[in-house]
Amino acid sequence: MEQTQLQQQQQFEEEFSVSIKPNLLEKSRAQRILWLLEELHVDYELKTYKRENMLAPHELKKIHPLGKSPILSVQSEEMKEPLVLAESSMIVEYIVDHLGPELAPKKWQEGKENSIGGETEEWLRYRYFMNYAEGTIMTLLLVQFIMSNIKNGPVPFFLKFITNGITSKVDAAYLAPNFKTNLDFLESKISSSPGGGSFIAGHNLSGADIMLSFPLRAAREGSILTPEKQPNLCKYLEMVEERDAYKRAIQKIIDIEGSYDAALSR
């Protein structure tokens, strides 16, 4: 980040006395919110929660009715109550809008401001992949996680062939072809980034890269994403993982939980 950008953000925080509190559940994909805040050099007060029987504790429901993670509380001196934000993409967009506009590409083509179809390719990609990360690729990973739990779950041996048969059919008919379609699609998109850029929406890191990071890492750790089949996508993931802010976020998770593992099937 350029010094002028850092100074502008520090000035914003000082003027409005913004308090930012991420509420994160252990062993979740909420690490992306820490990465975002670290990338922007924003001060925050981290609160973590332990799972209870693999589920979020009731304590989280006191902050948001759904009790899901991540939840971000934002408050300024002018606010009587904190603003509570849920859903990763919503949190990323809100923080980018207010504290990190450099993480969103330029929206309009020159001379086409506020017109339908006047958006830049970079911005359209940014908005698309912000939603794609959770709406499409993460959905496939969650279905795979459920199938893995069914297949490896504790059932009587005489029922094992039934659970194995069901999960094998789901994998062959649904998961395998959809993973191939989506990873081939992502490989083509990262290979054709606007202007020959290294990120998903051009030359600069954006909120879309932050949103894509977890499902791609989970796919790699589950041996779904491989260098042999998706070489450029793997290089892209390795590149974002080398960012200092990303490493700081991961280290904070390790300091709290003892390790960091994005593989859902484990």
Side-chain angles (χ1 to χ4, degrees):
M1 179 185 299
E2 294 181 3
Q3 186 63 25
T4 54
Q5 294 173 338
L6 180 56
Q7 289 172 341
Q8 289 173 357
Q9 288 168 2
Q10 290 174 337
Q11 182 181 358
F12 178 91
E13 293 178 52
E14 291 170 1
E15 289 179 358
F16 295 95
S17 300
V18 178
S19 170
I20 298 178
K21 297 181 180 180
N23 299 274
L24 308 186
L25 182 65
E26 68 170 348
K27 296 180 174 61
S28 73
R29 49 194 187 273
Q31 167 269 340
R32 292 175 294 190
I33 305 305
L34 294 190
W35 176 22
L36 171 64
L37 296 174
E38 290 289 338
E39 198 72 50
L40 296 175
H41 298 271
V42 172
D43 291 332
Y44 57 90
E45 179 183 338
L46 176 62
K47 174 69 174 175
T48 60
Y49 298 82
K50 294 286 186 181
R51 289 182 181 271
E52 298 175 357
N53 297 320
M54 292 305 294
L55 300 176
H58 185 73
E59 190 178 0
L60 266 177
K61 288 191 175 182
K62 296 178 182 178
I63 305 172
H64 189 278
L66 295 181
K68 296 176 68 177
S69 172
I71 301 171
L72 192 75
S73 299
V74 182
Q75 188 167 16
S76 67
E77 291 181 345
E78 292 76 18
M79 300 166 63
K80 293 181 179 180
E81 298 290 336
L83 174 64
V84 177
L85 303 172
E87 298 294 343
S88 296
S89 59
M90 167 67 175
I91 294 171
V92 171
E93 284 196 29
Y94 192 89
I95 293 300
V96 168
D97 285 348
H98 288 278
L99 294 175
E102 70 274 14
L103 292 184
K106 179 182 176 182
K107 183 173 182 178
W108 302 108
Q109 301 176 48
E110 293 295 333
K112 296 185 178 181
E113 292 80 3
N114 302 311
S115 62
I116 295 177
E119 297 87 355
T120 64
E121 180 184 358
E122 290 85 349
W123 187 85
L124 288 171
R125 278 194 177 218
Y126 160 70
R127 289 299 292 268
Y128 174 78
F129 285 108
M130 281 284 295
N131 292 281
Y132 169 91
E134 288 290 300
T136 300
I137 191 69
M138 198 66 222
T139 301
L140 288 174
L141 288 163
L142 290 173
V143 172
Q144 186 209 37
F145 173 67
I146 294 169
M147 291 299 104
S148 177
N149 283 347
I150 293 173
K151 182 177 182 179
N152 300 318
V155 297
F157 75 93
F158 55 86
L159 294 177
K160 201 70 174 175
F161 78 95
I162 297 177
T163 57
N164 285 348
I166 293 172
T167 55
S168 295
K169 287 183 179 179
V170 171
D171 181 68
Y174 177 72
L175 289 174
N178 275 285
F179 272 128
K180 183 180 186 309
T181 297
N182 278 272
L183 291 176
D184 287 351
F185 166 71
L186 288 167
E187 175 76 4
S188 70
K189 288 301 180 182
I190 198 62
S191 302
S192 60
S193 178
S198 300
F199 297 96
I200 198 67
H203 287 282
N204 301 313
L205 178 77
S206 73
D209 300 295
I210 291 173
M211 286 299 299
L212 279 173
S213 63
F214 184 91
L216 290 182
R217 180 163 178 162
R220 185 187 62 192
E221 294 190 15
S223 300
I224 303 167
L225 170 64
T226 66
E228 292 75 24
K229 294 180 180 179
Q230 296 88 22
N232 293 319
L233 199 55
C234 287
K235 289 178 183 178
Y236 159 72
L237 180 57
E238 291 170 359
M239 176 188 68
V240 299
E241 289 175 330
E242 285 301 311
R243 294 183 71 87
D244 290 340
Y246 184 96
K247 292 179 179 179
R248 290 197 302 271
I250 294 295
Q251 188 58 52
K252 288 195 175 184
I253 299 297
I254 293 173
D255 291 343
I256 294 168
E257 300 180 13
S259 63
Y260 178 73
D261 185 359
L264 296 178
S265 59
R266 296 178 187 173

